[in-house]
Amino acid sequence: MKKKLILGLDPGLAILGFGAIISTSQSTAITCKDSGYPGVYNFSVSMVDFGIISTSANQEMGKRLCTLYDDLHTLVKEIKPDLVAVEKLFFYRMSNTILVAQARGIVMLSLAQHNLPYIEFTPAQIKHALTGYGNAKKYEVQEAVARELNLEELPKPDDASDALAVALTALYHNQ
């Protein structure tokens, strides 16, 4: 039996969403006749934790970045992920994009300091992995997250749900 803990991150300066999942898989001795490769035919996934790291717009930029760094450092030490999945930067408003880029810099620095492997996905890749449609609505992705993780209600806030979606995308990408 093989376990893999994946931490998903939805970077932002005001709110950085995080979501951790664990996948348990069991390889079978059966070999696929078409490819000749053994396959993983049995896996399960469950949620470990999710939430947000937030900073106040009233604080100066340096303090906000320090808060993200310190809290992310603590989170990584507590969760001890095998893999981190990060949502790629999406350009839509220049002022917001710059703030998100600064937060992503903190994320990348923290991952490098912990020697953690990471993988990145665009919003369209995440939507497609969870719904089969790259232009899915946010609510459709949230429903898919709740369904895949057997949650009774949609995870809140949205940034945490998005982070769980990123983690699930990494899981499906690596199967």
Side-chain angles (χ1 to χ4, degrees), residues 83-144:
L83 175 67
V84 179
V86 183
E87 185 172 341
K88 279 187 179 179
L89 189 57
F90 179 70
F91 296 93
Y92 57 97
R93 286 188 317 208
M94 191 53 147
S95 63
N96 194 41
T97 301
I98 292 169
L99 297 176
V100 173
Q102 291 171 322
R104 278 182 50 82
I106 296 298
V107 167
M108 294 299 146
L109 173 64
S110 294
L111 299 181
Q113 288 178 330
H114 288 277
N115 294 314
L116 286 169
Y118 69 90
I119 188 167
E120 297 179 280
F121 298 101
T122 65
Q125 288 174 308
I126 296 163
K127 291 174 182 180
H128 188 268
L130 290 168
T131 69
Y133 180 59
N135 288 325
K137 304 270 189 255
K138 184 175 273 294
Y139 187 76
E140 293 172 305
V141 175
Q142 291 172 334
E143 286 180 327

Side-chain angles (χ1 to χ4, degrees), residues 21-169:
I21 61 172
I22 190 160
S23 168
T24 305
S25 61
Q26 188 170 10
S27 288
T28 63
I30 300 170
T31 301
C32 179
K33 291 179 184 177
D34 294 333
S35 68
Y37 296 107
V40 175
Y41 294 100
N42 190 10
F43 84 94
S44 64
V45 62
S46 59
M47 185 193 54
V48 174
D49 194 10
F50 70 96
I52 60 168
I53 297 170
S54 61
T55 66
S56 172
N58 297 332
Q59 289 183 309
E60 65 179 35
M61 179 61 69
K63 288 195 183 293
R64 294 177 81 180
L65 294 173
C66 283
T67 297
L68 288 179
Y69 175 82
D70 291 342
D71 289 359
L72 186 57
H73 180 75
T74 300
L75 179 70
V76 166
K77 281 176 48 179
E78 288 175 4
I79 291 183
K80 298 180 178 94
D82 299 306
L83 175 67
V84 179
V86 183
E87 185 172 341
K88 279 187 179 179
L89 189 57
F90 179 70
F91 296 93
Y92 57 97
R93 286 188 317 208
M94 191 53 147
S95 63
N96 194 41
T97 301
I98 292 169
L99 297 176
V100 173
Q102 291 171 322
R104 278 182 50 82
I106 296 298
V107 167
M108 294 299 146
L109 173 64
S110 294
L111 299 181
Q113 288 178 330
H114 288 277
N115 294 314
L116 286 169
Y118 69 90
I119 188 167
E120 297 179 280
F121 298 101
T122 65
Q125 288 174 308
I126 296 163
K127 291 174 182 180
H128 188 268
L130 290 168
T131 69
Y133 180 59
N135 288 325
K137 304 270 189 255
K138 184 175 273 294
Y139 187 76
E140 293 172 305
V141 175
Q142 291 172 334
E143 286 180 327
V145 167
R147 182 178 56 253
E148 293 298 313
L149 295 173
N150 295 312
L151 304 176
E152 292 183 15
E153 53 190 48
L154 301 180
K156 295 289 181 192
D158 291 351
D159 304 272
S161 181
D162 292 348
L164 287 169
V166 177
L168 285 167
T169 302

